[in-house]
Amino acid sequence: ALLTVKEATELFGVTTDELFAGSSRRELLAALLSEQQHSHWCAAIGCSPQPAFMTQLSAASAVKQHVRQLNGSSIERATAAAEKRVALLPGDLQAQLELALLCYFSGRYEDAWLELGSYLEAARCAAATDDAAGTAAPAAATPQLAAVADSAAVPVSTKTAAATAGSVTKAAEAAASSTAYGELVDDDVMLLFEKLQLELMLSGAEVA
């Protein structure tokens, strides 16, 4: 059955303008590569391509060893599609994470470690950007709070008030940074990164 515009926007979580916005050739090609990557991944692990039955390409699948056997040629094709997709979508965190995971499953551990490191750094920068926008409003409200305190004749020195406001702002920024970063990077990604780093160090590779 066909969906109404309202149903489609609610189902896919987009606005009406986004729903009818045209896609560039780059985006269309990246979408085709995503489908190709998905089909090769399913063929590599021998699972159904249906979302309800497939083993997801995720850090959890790597850390918890959900994948027991792989088809070498299929995983290489999936990795090749992921590399082209990352080249088409610079800055796409999900595409970069999937490439890192495919490198891991294909046995390219050093490449996987490097890609995961790039992903974590990009996620940290994205979280910092979100924090900068989110903390602008609280920072602007600080002078208003000081004015209220003055009008109420609260016996607090200017130096103490400034120090208190600064510490509260820093605490709020740290909490926001931790929350924003945690929304982008889950624990399994960090565990996989640390596991790869340890294995590479034990094998004599130079990692920092």
Side-chain angles (χ1 to χ4, degrees):
L2 296 176
L3 298 175
T4 64
V5 172
K6 182 179 180 181
E7 290 172 338
T9 54
E10 292 176 353
L11 178 62
F12 297 107
V14 296
T15 64
T16 303
D17 292 337
E18 291 172 335
L19 185 66
F20 291 103
S23 298
S24 65
R25 292 183 178 181
R26 179 186 294 268
E27 291 169 334
L28 289 173
L29 182 54
L32 291 173
L33 286 168
S34 178
E35 289 297 319
Q36 188 179 54
Q37 173 190 311
H38 174 79
S39 62
H40 286 313
W41 163 251
C42 293
I45 62 176
C47 74
S48 169
Q50 298 299 322
F53 303 104
M54 70 172 291
T55 299
Q56 297 293 331
L57 176 60
S58 65
S61 298
V63 172
K64 298 174 183 176
Q65 299 181 342
H66 291 165
V67 177
R68 300 292 183 182
Q69 189 173 358
L70 284 167
N71 179 290
S73 58
S74 293
I75 196 68
E76 287 177 3
R77 293 190 185 101
T79 306
E83 289 172 340
K84 294 174 184 176
R85 186 164 167 248
V86 166
L88 287 169
L89 301 174
D92 189 307
L93 291 177
Q94 185 60 31
Q96 192 168 13
L97 176 58
E98 290 176 1
L99 173 58
L101 293 171
L102 287 167
C103 286
Y104 172 79
F105 283 114
S106 62
R108 294 163 49 186
Y109 297 130
E110 188 167 354
D111 289 340
W113 179 74
L114 290 171
E115 291 294 341
L116 273 179
S118 298
Y119 165 78
L120 292 172
E121 182 60 29
R124 188 174 292 107
C125 291
T129 301
D130 292 341
D131 295 342
T135 55
T142 302
Q144 297 177 2
L145 294 175
V148 171
D150 291 341
S151 63
V154 178
V156 180
S157 67
T158 303
K159 184 175 181 180
T160 304
T164 303
S167 62
V168 170
T169 302
K170 288 180 180 178
E173 289 176 354
S177 177
S178 177
T179 301
Y181 186 69
E183 290 175 353
L184 292 172
V185 179
D186 60 33
D187 293 339
D188 290 322
V189 173
M190 291 302 302
L191 284 173
L192 181 59
F193 180 75
E194 292 168 0
K195 175 186 176 183
L196 282 168
Q197 188 169 17
L198 180 59
E199 289 180 352
L200 290 171
M201 289 175 64
L202 292 175
S203 66
E206 293 184 2
V207 295

